[in-house]
Amino acid sequence: MAKKVTIKDLAKAAGVSVTTVSQILNGKGARFSQATQDRVHALKKQLNYVPDFNARNLILHSSKTVGVLVPNIGNPFFSSFVRGIQEVCRQKEYMPLVFSASHEVELERYYLSRLVERSVDGLIIASSSITAETIDEILKPNAIPYLLFDQNQTHDHEDRVSVDDYAGGQLAAAHLAQLGHRRIVMYMPTAPTENVQNRLAGFKAGLAAAGIAFDEEAIVKTTLSKRGGYEQTAAVLAHQPTAVFCANDELAIGLYRGLQERGVRVPADLSVVGFDDIDLAEYVTPQLTTVHQPINQLGQQAATLLFNRMTAKEQPLEQQLVKMPVHLVERQSTAKVSEDQ
C-alpha cells in the first residue's frame, strides 16, 4: 500500500518549511512570493497531497463542518432541503454532516452530543422533538451557533426559517371551496407540530371565509408518512368526503394507493390536496394539487442565516427570522363536485 503524502513530504519537495506550506494552503500565504505559492500548489496537485483533517482543525480552530439534524431523510422534502444547505456549504467550503433521527428524542440527543464532540461550527435543527432543555444542556454551554427550521417553535430568541403555513391552509381551503366541496376531511399526523397546526388553523379560516363550517370530527390522524397515509384510508372514507386536505404530500401519496385499491377515483370520486410540492407530486397519477413550499431555497436560506451567525460570534446580531411565502399549484387531483357526490 502506498504511503500517504504528508505535509512534511510536500514541504521537502517544495524546498520550504512546513509552516510556509501550511500558511499557503490555508490562504494565509500572501507574504510569500507568487513563485513559491505556485510551486506549493503545483506540488500539492502533483503529489496528490490531502491535508490532515484533524491537524487542519487545530491550526484553524475550525472543523469547517455544519451539523444538520432532520426527522426523516427518507422524506423527499428533507432531501431537497438538505440539497439547498449543501449548495451554500459548498460555496463556503464547509462540509454538512446530516443525521436523520426518526423523531426519536434519545437518538436526537445522541447525535447532537456527538456533533458537539466533533466541534462542528454550527447546527441546523429541523426536528420537532428537540426541546428547550436539550438545547440548553447540550448546545448553549458550548456556544455553538444554531438555527431552527420550520417544525421547531419551542424557543423565542433563536434564528429561524419557516414558511407561511397558515396562508397555505387558507389557499387549500379556498381552492376546494371554489370547486364546490363541503364535505372535507383534514388528514393530519397523530402528534401535529406547530407548523401543521397552523395549516389546519388556516384551512379552517379559509373555509369559514367561504361560508363553510368545518366538521371537527372530520380530522383523521395517522403517522406522517406514505405508509400512514395508506393505512388510514378506510378512516378517511368513513366520513364520506368529496375532498381531502393532507398535511403533507407523503400522506396524499399513501392515500392514493389506498384509494386505488378500493376503486375510488381521484378526482372523479374524491379530490385530494397535499402540502409541500415535493418532486413526486408531478409524477404520481393524477398529478397532485398541492401547496408549494420553496424547499431548496429554504435550505439555502437556513444555511445562509447560520453562516451569518457563525461569523458574528464576536459581534451582536439581532435574531434572524425569515418566513417565506407559499402558493397553490393546481394539477389534476382536484375537480368540481359532481352532481352525484
Side-chain angles (χ1 to χ4, degrees), residues 163-173 194-206 208 245 275 291 323-324 326:
V163 298
D164 196 339
D165 293 289
Y166 187 89
Q170 289 179 304
L171 290 171
E194 187 168 335
N195 61 327
V196 174
Q197 292 173 8
N198 287 337
R199 293 172 194 179
L200 175 60
F203 187 67
K204 290 179 180 179
F245 174 40
F275 201 110
V291 177
K323 179 174 284 190
M324 302 185 75
V326 297

Side-chain angles (χ1 to χ4, degrees), residues 7-29:
I7 193 170
K8 290 182 179 179
D9 298 327
L10 180 55
K12 182 178 180 181
V16 297
S17 69
V18 169
T19 301
T20 298
V21 171
S22 176
Q23 291 180 345
I24 290 174
L25 295 184
N26 287 307
K28 299 179 180 180

Side-chain angles (χ1 to χ4, degrees), residues 163-318:
V163 298
D164 196 339
D165 293 289
Y166 187 89
Q170 289 179 304
L171 290 171
H175 176 65
L176 292 175
Q178 187 177 25
L179 294 174
H181 294 280
R182 296 294 183 271
R183 300 195 314 274
I184 306 170
V185 163
M186 177 69 190
Y187 212 4
M188 292 187 54
T190 304
T193 49
E194 187 168 335
N195 61 327
V196 174
Q197 292 173 8
N198 287 337
R199 293 172 194 179
L200 175 60
F203 187 67
K204 290 179 180 179
L207 291 180
I212 302 171
F214 180 73
D215 181 3
E216 293 292 338
E217 297 297 318
I219 296 177
V220 176
K221 294 187 176 182
T222 185
T223 56
L224 194 64
S225 64
K226 291 185 286 292
R227 177 176 289 278
Y230 168 72
E231 289 179 342
Q232 293 301 315
T233 302
V236 170
L237 294 177
H239 291 276
Q240 298 183 320
T242 62
V244 181
F245 174 40
C246 301
N248 75 354
D249 290 345
E250 285 216 311
L251 283 181
I253 291 170
L255 179 63
Y256 264 34
R257 176 184 167 189
L259 296 175
Q260 184 182 41
E261 290 178 356
R262 291 165 173 78
V264 178
R265 300 166 298 167
V266 178
D269 302 321
L270 186 68
S271 288
V272 179
V273 177
F275 201 110
D276 286 343
D277 198 19
I278 61 176
D279 53 3
L280 287 175
E282 286 189 90
Y283 295 96
V284 292
T285 301
Q287 293 180 356
L288 181 64
T289 294
T290 185
V291 177
H292 173 85
Q293 295 195 64
I295 307 173
N296 187 267
Q297 292 93 323
L298 284 168
Q300 293 176 351
Q301 189 69 66
T304 298
L305 296 190
L306 180 63
F307 281 110
N308 290 346
R309 180 64 61 186
M310 286 162 51
T311 56
K313 284 186 177 181
E314 305 302 325
Q315 303 172 1
L317 180 65
E318 295 294 325

Side-chain angles (χ1 to χ4, degrees), residues 51-265:
D52 182 271
F53 180 75
N54 293 322
R56 186 176 184 276
N57 289 353
L58 290 173
I59 294 170
L60 298 179
H61 304 289
S62 169
S63 66
K64 299 288 283 187
T65 57
V66 169
V68 183
L69 188 63
V70 299
N72 179 14
I73 196 64
N75 183 336
F77 176 94
F78 288 106
S79 298
S80 297
F81 176 68
V82 169
R83 191 158 54 244
I85 294 173
Q86 288 179 168
E87 291 170 6
V88 175
C89 284
R90 184 175 181 181
Q91 294 171 5
K92 301 288 187 179
E93 298 185 342
Y94 273 68
M95 180 69 70
L97 300 178
V98 183
F99 293 91
S100 178
S102 304
H103 300 284
E104 297 180 25
V105 175
E106 287 307 311
L107 188 56
E108 289 171 344
R109 287 181 64 90
Y110 171 80
Y111 283 144
L112 281 180
S113 297
R114 298 294 82 78
L115 287 166
V116 170
E117 287 177 4
R118 283 158 177 75
S119 300
V120 293
D121 295 291
L123 282 161
I124 294 173
I125 303 172
S127 170
S128 59
S129 304
I130 292 294
T131 64
E133 290 75 20
T134 296
I135 288 177
D136 290 341
E137 292 172 12
I138 299 177
L139 300 185
K140 288 186 177 179
N142 293 281
I144 297 178
Y146 62 91
L147 175 135
L148 301 177
F149 168 69
D150 199 22
Q151 297 195 36
N152 196 310
Q153 306 287 335
T154 59
H155 308 272
D156 295 326
H157 306 293
E158 283 79 2
D159 298 332
R160 184 177 297 123
V161 174
S162 64
V163 298
D164 196 339
D165 293 289
Y166 187 89
Q170 289 179 304
L171 290 171
H175 176 65
L176 292 175
Q178 187 177 25
L179 294 174
H181 294 280
R182 296 294 183 271
R183 300 195 314 274
I184 306 170
V185 163
M186 177 69 190
Y187 212 4
M188 292 187 54
T190 304
T193 49
E194 187 168 335
N195 61 327
V196 174
Q197 292 173 8
N198 287 337
R199 293 172 194 179
L200 175 60
F203 187 67
K204 290 179 180 179
L207 291 180
I212 302 171
F214 180 73
D215 181 3
E216 293 292 338
E217 297 297 318
I219 296 177
V220 176
K221 294 187 176 182
T222 185
T223 56
L224 194 64
S225 64
K226 291 185 286 292
R227 177 176 289 278
Y230 168 72
E231 289 179 342
Q232 293 301 315
T233 302
V236 170
L237 294 177
H239 291 276
Q240 298 183 320
T242 62
V244 181
F245 174 40
C246 301
N248 75 354
D249 290 345
E250 285 216 311
L251 283 181
I253 291 170
L255 179 63
Y256 264 34
R257 176 184 167 189
L259 296 175
Q260 184 182 41
E261 290 178 356
R262 291 165 173 78
V264 178
R265 300 166 298 167

